[in-house]
Amino acid sequence: MRPWRTALAGLEGPLVAVGGAVAAGALFMVATGHDPLAAYGAMITGALGGRGLGNLLATLLRAAPIVGMGLAAAVAFRAGFFNLGGEGQLVLGGLAGAVVALALPGGGLLTALLATLAALLAGGLWALAAAFFEIRFRVPLLVSTLLMNYPARLFASYLVNHPLRDVGSGLPQTERIAGGVELARLGAGGRLHLGVLVVAATVLAAAFVVRRTRVGYRMRMAGLNARFARAGGVDLDRLGYGVMFSSGALAGLVGAVQVLGVHHRFIDGSLTDPLWAWTGLMVALLCGSRPLGVLVAGLFFAAVQTGGFGMERATEVPRELSRVLQALIILFVAAQARFGFGGGEREGTG
Amino acid sequence: MAAGLAAPAFELEGITKRFGAVIANDAVDLRVAAGEIRGLVGENGAGKTTLMGVLYGMHRPDGGTIRVAGRTRRFDSPLDAIRAGLGMVHQHFMLFDSLTVAENVVFGSEPARGGVFDLAAARRRVARLAERYGLEVDPDSRVGRLPVGVRQRVEILKALYRRAEILILDEPTAVLTPGEQSALFEVLRRLAAEGAAVVFISHKLREVLELCHRATVLRGGRVTGTVETARTTADELSRLMVGKKVVAPQVPVHELGATVLGVESLEVRGRHGRSALHGLDLTVRSGEIVGVAGVAGNGQSELAEAVAGLRPPAAGRVLIGGADLTHAPIALRRRAGLAYVPEDRDGTGLAVAASVAENLLMGFEGEPRLAPRGVLDAEAIDARARGVVERYAIQVSHVRDPAATLSGGNRQKLVVGRELLRDARLLVVEQPTRGVDLSSIEVIHRALGDFSAAGGAVLLISSELNELMTLADRIVVMYGGRLVGELERDNASEERLGLLMAGAA
């Protein structure tokens, strides 16, 4: 009984947030003369049904980077470290993956593995640098990680515009990686690739680490009360380096998955324009940074986004409503954190 | 005392308040007359604060009526209660540190001239009010710089400024020195003499007997008795509180052994870089309990934190078992045999959102028995937690419940229980029984005694002089970051300690 109770205990908040956002979205639509039931219906079909399995597969394909970036953020948040630098770590990961895949002769599985490893390192080290600044010089992570997104993005942009540019294509992108390095497709003809499974497996592994291991225990306790963990003997500096490296490496992994699985080259803006990192942040906030929650919330946000296209096609409600819904959900989550609705009575000494 | 004859200032009738399945107040009646000081006593969780929360508009009662000055009232918020003439001084002060005393006092009903805040008028009124009630305080001081006792006066002024005729004080003496305490009592007596009704929540029976006209005892949400303090004893009150006679802890007799803790010329900087410890020397031997007395803010916390490794010393040495651990990481100190019960129970001692079992695991997660190959063994961790819960009679329905569901006393037993699980030879403990109920105090004191009897060294920092005089072999007094005196237990008296604590000796 108890595991169920604890599993359900955390769900009220997110459900209230989603419900509130859906209701507010409906009000918008009524106010602008649209039928919310029809729009939401079209959104659900657009995300999960229709076109054979096409819509569902599109949702899964979109979910991979969202869930991956959600996990990257969640791992850091859970331990109390504010990594807002997912975007830069993602870009550097994708870039490193593409560069290694292009540079190594031969190709094939080994190259794909080495490219992925390079992506993990690039993302991880970029985040590690921010951790170093915080631990050694007290530069707040919140600031450093956020600001370090810009040099990462601009550096990648410079490389693909100049030294690494595929001159023949006329676009700011690298050359295409060898076919053997691309991540295998799942099923014939589809766009779904092996990376989706890699992300899912990573989530399960992270859930195990966070919930069942010694390191995960230290992370969770540091996240709940850093001073408590410190007084108990947890080395917060070491934990910070480890957590930030892991978080950045996860973001780098997403970069590799997108480059090797979807774009098959590094295209300027391809990892930043879809706002994967920021959507991932919202996912982590919605699910309270629980890894399995990231899976659910990430799939949900992906569904809302793909569903938005279906809704626009079917009902003339613009797909920007998807973004509005996402923002509203986070607004509701933030409101709960601030005002604690539904929170219990504080007990006193009487 | 004329108290019984005057008209009731307020009446609570049949007040019932539930939180979920827990009944915090069960049909409680309470009538307090104008001019009366009423003690409200009971253990943690007896329902004292909840009852006053109901009266003060913080909780909506599930049943019963509230009458103030004869009129039936319904308070939707403390603002309603304040308008009806109530004032409450909470345990945690509700003041703005960066504003002055006068600004804090008038906050919410500021004097204004032409729609603009009239600071001069505010200062005048606050000064007049302070003088009238003998509340010594400078209206222009920034609250953040004032000692706790003075901040409390600001809280009382705030209530008086809003014309409170019923003043509720929740454990007001927990943070005061003996001197400040008698000053507070003077003020409360004067208020009562002018016709105010005062409710004094406390579990210090001696104070209740000294100050109050009558005392109402709560146990498990019900009133177990209301007595005239002139005709009762502390024994009778504590029987009403816990339902049985409380046995005072035995004074343990120790064989003193080798030096376990050595503190040499320790210098520690406090907050804002101010020096908090100035060359402090101290030793604690095996089997010895050394008490540290002092008014809060004279370096006691810095001493504890420097030994525990939470605050790096600027100079000097900290030796545990002969090993120089002045700059050692906390984990190393723990391995050298340090146990630490911090003053800030919820902020440092616990992660209240984590489960009881998880709280008991902190610092032990490295043990192969509990986490073989780095994977937590939930069964072993829970079983171990159940053992601690049983040994210290911690009231919790399941070890997977969050520590936040525990009362203050049970939380403290959780911290003490965890720290004494270690194979420790030194226990640094700050305010082990602050805000803790009587039966938990008994358990905690016995645990400290047992630890020292088994050869452990204890550094006991406490603002409860009684506690120090019962438990400690010798008591050192801190003032301004230095040791200003040392008394053997047999020579220690409240008066002598009080003088040293005030820096007067």
Side-chain angles (χ1 to χ4, degrees):
Chain A
M1 292 306 289
R2 187 158 294 269
W4 267 113
R5 232 176 73 192
T6 36
L8 290 175
L11 283 182
E12 307 134 14
L15 289 180
V16 167
V18 169
V22 167
L27 282 180
F28 276 131
M29 285 189 268
V30 171
T32 52
H34 296 283
D35 175 4
L37 282 183
Y40 282 136
M43 188 178 242
I44 292 169
T45 318
L48 307 175
R51 295 200 295 142
L53 284 176
N55 288 344
L56 182 63
L57 292 179
T59 295
L60 288 179
L61 193 69
R62 185 174 283 268
I66 293 177
V67 169
M69 292 311 295
L71 187 66
V75 162
F77 288 177
R78 195 68 192 269
F81 297 95
F82 280 93
N83 182 7
L84 299 187
E87 187 170 87
Q89 295 145 19
L90 166 75
V91 166
L92 290 186
L95 181 69
V99 167
V100 168
L102 289 169
L104 287 185
L109 188 63
L110 181 66
T111 306
L113 280 177
L114 288 174
T116 307
L117 196 66
L120 290 171
L121 273 177
L125 289 175
W126 196 239
L128 198 66
F132 175 76
F133 293 140
E134 156 124 356
I135 289 163
R136 288 299 295 276
F137 305 112
R138 303 279 151 220
V139 180
L141 270 183
L142 204 73
V143 174
S144 60
T145 53
L146 193 61
L147 292 183
M148 285 169 70
N149 286 330
Y150 295 95
R153 263 171 54 186
L154 296 173
F155 175 65
S157 186
Y158 161 76
L159 285 188
V160 296
N161 270 291
H162 299 289
L164 298 180
R165 187 180 187 124
D166 175 12
V167 182
S169 75
L171 294 169
Q173 59 187 20
T174 65
E175 286 171 28
R176 196 181 160 97
I177 59 176
V181 186
E182 293 173 10
L183 295 177
R185 306 285 169 125
L186 304 175
R191 295 189 299 140
L192 214 56
H193 56 87
L194 190 62
V196 177
L197 289 185
V198 170
V199 169
T202 310
V203 169
L204 296 182
F208 177 80
V209 169
V210 168
R211 286 169 54 175
R212 299 291 311 279
T213 69
R214 179 183 299 158
V215 167
Y217 169 77
R218 288 180 178 148
M219 283 172 58
R220 285 185 288 121
M221 294 305 121
L224 289 176
N225 183 352
R227 203 174 150 80
F228 163 71
R230 183 164 160 246
V234 174
D235 185 339
L236 290 182
D237 291 353
R238 225 177 102 188
L239 187 73
Y241 285 128
V243 163
M244 285 300 287
F245 181 83
S246 310
S247 172
L250 286 170
L253 174 70
V254 176
V257 163
Q258 291 300 99
V259 165
L260 303 182
V262 179
H263 309 303
H264 304 128
R265 56 172 96 214
F266 188 94
I267 308 169
D268 195 14
S270 64
L271 297 175
T272 48
D273 293 345
L275 302 176
W276 299 134
W278 306 108
T279 310
L281 268 175
M282 293 199 262
V283 163
L285 286 176
L286 177 62
C287 69
S289 300
R290 282 175 286 249
L292 290 183
V294 166
L295 202 58
V296 177
L299 281 167
F300 174 72
F301 272 47
V304 168
Q305 290 185 5
T306 41
F309 291 97
M311 179 180 66
E312 187 173 65
R313 279 193 302 271
T315 66
E316 291 181 352
V317 175
R319 69 167 185 271
E320 278 72 21
L321 185 73
S322 299
R323 299 271 181 214
V324 173
L325 283 179
Q326 287 180 18
L328 282 172
I329 289 171
I330 295 312
L331 211 59
F332 276 101
V333 170
Q336 290 175 41
R338 172 67 184 77
F339 300 110
F341 20 92
E345 297 269 356
R346 263 190 64 101
E347 52 124 319
T349 52
Chain B
M1 248 133 267
L5 304 172
F10 72 86
E11 295 165 275
L12 300 178
E13 241 178 50
I15 295 292
T16 297
K17 176 68 194 171
R18 287 185 207 88
F19 295 115
V22 181
I23 301 189
N25 290 144
D26 188 359
V28 174
D29 294 336
L30 182 69
R31 253 171 229 89
V32 176
E36 178 184 354
I37 305 180
R38 173 69 62 95
L40 191 57
V41 296
E43 294 204 72
N44 274 354
K48 307 182 297 274
T49 303
T50 303
L51 185 66
M52 288 302 107
V54 166
L55 174 60
Y56 195 56
M58 298 193 301
H59 306 304
R60 184 87 52 83
D62 296 312
T65 50
I66 302 173
R67 273 194 295 279
V68 175
R71 277 183 59 195
T72 303
R73 296 281 197 162
R74 212 187 95 124
F75 299 139
D76 288 323
S77 79
L79 283 180
D80 293 349
I82 289 167
R83 271 186 226 113
L86 279 99
M88 185 156 177
V89 177
H90 298 269
Q91 274 179 309
H92 303 284
F93 300 149
M94 316 229 168
L95 298 170
F96 301 103
D97 281 354
S98 57
L99 298 185
T100 67
V101 169
E103 286 163 342
N104 266 286
V105 170
V106 302
F107 179 79
S109 42
E110 301 87 351
R113 195 189 304 165
V116 181
F117 175 52
D118 186 350
L119 180 61
R123 290 178 49 211
R124 258 196 328 273
R125 288 191 207 179
V126 171
R128 210 182 313 137
L129 204 59
E131 200 192 326
R132 184 168 155 219
Y133 291 100
L135 286 156
E136 258 175 68
V137 51
D138 171 11
D140 296 324
S141 305
R142 301 242 166 243
V143 164
R145 302 210 175 143
L146 296 175
V148 182
V150 181
R151 287 188 214 192
Q152 189 175 60
R153 279 177 227 155
V154 178
E155 282 280 10
I156 295 174
L157 274 176
K158 226 167 77 180
L160 295 177
Y161 180 80
R162 301 179 195 182
R163 302 178 195 288
E165 281 160 13
I166 300 165
L167 188 63
I168 306 162
L169 299 105
D170 192 358
E171 306 262 357
T173 58
V175 293
L176 301 184
T177 63
E180 289 174 326
Q181 180 223 299
S182 28
L184 171 68
F185 283 9
E186 273 318 299
V187 170
L188 296 182
R189 287 194 186 105
R190 194 182 304 198
L191 284 172
E194 298 206 2
V198 177
V199 180
F200 181 81
I201 304 179
S202 181
H203 39 231
K204 295 185 189 170
L205 303 179
R206 230 161 21 92
E207 295 179 352
V208 171
L209 291 176
E210 182 190 334
L211 174 71
C212 302
H213 301 125
R214 290 194 282 177
T216 295
V217 184
L218 287 180
R219 184 169 84 226
R222 292 162 166 270
V223 173
T224 53
T226 296
V227 292
E228 304 274 337
T229 51
R231 286 187 223 138
T232 189
T233 60
D235 268 358
E236 190 189 340
L237 280 181
S238 64
R239 254 198 310 282
L240 287 170
M241 274 168 71
V242 296
K244 61 171 181 176
K245 209 170 159 150
V246 179
V247 191
Q250 298 255 308
V251 177
V253 182
H254 310 289
E255 280 290 312
L256 298 192
T259 297
V260 175
L261 171 67
V263 172
E264 297 172 2
S265 316
L266 193 65
E267 304 251 346
V268 174
R269 300 214 192 294
R271 283 194 205 139
H272 316 301
R274 280 180 304 155
S275 187
L277 288 185
H278 311 278
L280 189 119
D281 292 288
L282 184 74
T283 57
V284 185
R285 296 166 64 187
S286 164
E288 187 182 32
I289 301 183
V290 174
V292 180
V295 178
N298 277 287
Q300 304 96 310
S301 300
E302 285 81 0
L303 170 63
E305 289 178 3
V307 174
L310 286 169
R311 192 181 283 272
R317 300 206 300 163
V318 173
L319 302 121
I320 298 176
D324 185 344
L325 297 178
T326 314
H327 298 287
I330 292 172
L332 202 62
R333 294 167 200 252
R334 296 293 204 171
R335 275 202 291 282
L338 167 76
Y340 175 46
V341 176
E343 171 177 13
D344 186 358
R345 189 184 306 148
D346 293 351
T348 311
L350 297 170
V352 290
S355 75
V356 167
E358 285 172 327
N359 272 289
L360 287 171
L361 183 62
M362 179 47 71
F364 299 91
E365 75 276 10
E367 288 189 6
R369 196 171 56 81
L370 299 172
R373 288 181 305 280
V375 179
L376 303 177
D377 180 344
E379 294 283 308
I381 290 166
D382 285 359
R384 176 174 164 283
R386 282 193 294 272
V388 179
V389 163
E390 207 163 298
R391 189 169 339 138
Y392 291 92
I394 297 169
Q395 282 158 36
V396 59
S397 54
H398 196 285
V399 293
R400 298 253 175 112
D401 285 348
T405 60
L406 271 57
S407 72
N410 283 309
R411 288 186 203 182
Q412 186 69 356
K413 287 193 283 187
L414 193 61
V415 179
V416 171
R418 177 187 66 224
E419 294 302 316
L420 291 182
L421 272 176
R422 289 169 198 286
D423 196 10
R425 48 180 162 179
L426 170 65
L427 171 65
V428 176
V429 49
E430 294 183 82
Q431 315 297 354
T433 56
R434 175 177 287 173
V436 168
D437 57 284
L438 278 179
S439 50
S440 298
I441 290 178
E442 214 181 325
V443 172
I444 291 167
H445 281 177
R446 197 178 313 129
L448 296 186
D450 290 351
F451 176 74
S452 102
V458 180
L459 184 66
L460 168 65
I461 297 170
S462 175
S463 54
E464 301 283 338
L465 297 184
N466 260 329
E467 179 166 82
L468 293 172
M469 290 190 294
T470 327
L471 291 175
D473 296 284
R474 59 192 170 95
I475 301 170
V476 298
V477 181
M478 289 189 70
Y479 180 78
R482 292 189 171 84
L483 292 189
V484 292
E486 176 174 337
L487 298 170
E488 296 297 319
R489 171 169 44 205
D490 300 336
N491 299 332
S493 68
E494 215 158 296
E495 292 70 36
R496 299 183 62 175
L497 287 171
L499 279 176
L500 288 168
M501 284 164 68

